[in-house]
Amino acid sequence: DFLFFWGAVFLVTTTLVAFLKKENQELIPAKEETKGITDTYRLLFSIIKMPAVLTFCLLILTSKVGFSAADAVTGLKLVEEGVPKEHLALLAVPMVPLQIILPLIISKYTAGPQPLNTFYKAMPYRLLLGLEFAFLVWWAPKVKHEGGFPLYYYAVVVLSYALHQITLYSMYVAIMAFNAKVSDPLIGGTYMTLLNTVSNLGGNWPSTVALWLVDPLTVKECQGAQGHHTCATAAAAEV
């Protein structure tokens, strides 16, 4: 019912926009240079070969390795420790207004000549919050009781998530501002797409690797098993 309702709202609003919103014909923007597929890829290749672009791509491809595990695994580990999934989902609700307001506030600091300064400043705090998330997972079984988890534990989780959102959006808005600033206006769309794609990839591959490494890096101990079992693999743990 929830999905059906919002699906209907989405369809109605987008249809109204399509029919009622008119383009402003008076202000015609400078036309972006259009190229064929072959020319576009040649252009992209020439952009990638630039030393500054190569250095920047290397930076954004590796910059999120340090907090990939905290970002990707914390929620799963909290569920594993007994925190109900529906409670974690509810904790995401207070984050929505924060996610709307943060870009408006952060954009004031990224609008200057050096938007990446905000990115660099937020990074150590985001790394420290990774330790905070590890503490939350370690603390969960200590405070768990028959009725679930105390209210103060959820308050600490919400506060930790809110601080994490501040660092996350500081880095995100800064990198988007930098991409927009350095993109050549003549090929702005192509340039922006390239840099944003590399930026997205830089966030996705470390999370995938972190999730893949969870099992082999988790120390397990078999209790009550006959003989010697390491529980190192999923099959051994099942036995």
Side-chain angles (χ1 to χ4, degrees):
D1 289 346
F2 177 84
L3 290 173
F4 179 80
F5 173 78
W6 287 111
V9 169
F10 182 81
L11 285 171
V12 170
T13 51
T14 48
T15 305
L16 287 172
V17 168
F19 283 110
L20 301 179
K21 179 72 178 129
K22 302 297 179 188
E23 294 291 340
N24 189 347
Q25 297 296 332
E26 293 173 13
L27 298 171
I28 301 168
K31 193 176 180 183
E32 187 175 312
E33 193 178 319
T34 54
K35 293 178 178 289
I37 292 173
T38 310
D39 290 335
T40 302
Y41 276 100
R42 279 184 189 148
L43 185 63
L44 277 174
F45 188 64
S46 66
I47 293 168
I48 292 168
K49 285 195 296 183
M50 292 162 65
V53 174
L54 276 173
T55 306
F56 180 62
C57 287
L58 187 65
L59 165 76
I60 54 179
L61 277 172
T62 55
S63 62
K64 295 177 184 174
V65 171
F67 24 77
S68 57
D71 288 5
V73 184
T74 301
L76 299 172
K77 281 292 173 186
L78 287 175
V79 171
E80 195 178 278
E81 294 296 344
V83 179
K85 279 183 274 190
E86 58 271 24
H87 288 184
L88 276 180
L90 279 173
L91 294 181
V93 175
M95 298 301 114
V96 175
L98 190 66
Q99 289 165 352
I100 294 168
I101 296 164
L102 277 174
L104 297 171
I105 298 168
I106 297 162
S107 61
K108 293 177 184 176
Y109 301 97
T110 58
Q114 297 178 314
L116 277 186
N117 281 353
T118 308
F119 181 92
Y120 296 137
K121 286 174 184 173
M123 186 177 278
Y125 296 104
R126 192 168 172 188
L127 286 167
L128 285 171
L129 281 166
L131 295 175
E132 161 72 4
F133 282 179
F135 168 75
L136 287 176
V137 174
W138 172 83
W139 193 31
K142 313 282 184 192
V143 296
K144 188 180 180 183
H145 51 74
E146 287 182 9
F149 289 85
L151 198 60
Y152 65 82
Y153 180 77
Y154 287 118
V156 173
V157 172
V158 169
L159 181 63
S160 302
Y161 270 49
L163 292 172
H164 178 259
Q165 288 295 312
I166 293 169
T167 58
L168 187 151
Y169 271 82
S170 295
M171 294 181 72
Y172 175 75
V173 174
I175 212 84
M176 290 297 123
F178 181 79
N179 290 350
K181 193 173 183 64
V182 300
S183 296
D184 186 341
L186 286 175
I187 48 163
T190 307
Y191 219 120
M192 280 286 287
T193 302
L194 169 67
L195 295 178
N196 289 347
T197 301
V198 176
S199 181
N200 290 335
L201 185 62
N204 289 333
W205 81 260
S207 296
T208 305
V209 172
L211 287 167
W212 181 73
L213 287 173
V214 168
D215 227 24
L217 290 178
T218 300
V219 178
K220 306 185 190 86
E221 183 185 350
C222 294
Q223 294 181 345
Q226 297 297 320
H228 178 69
H229 289 285
T230 61
C231 295
T233 63
E238 187 72 25
V239 171

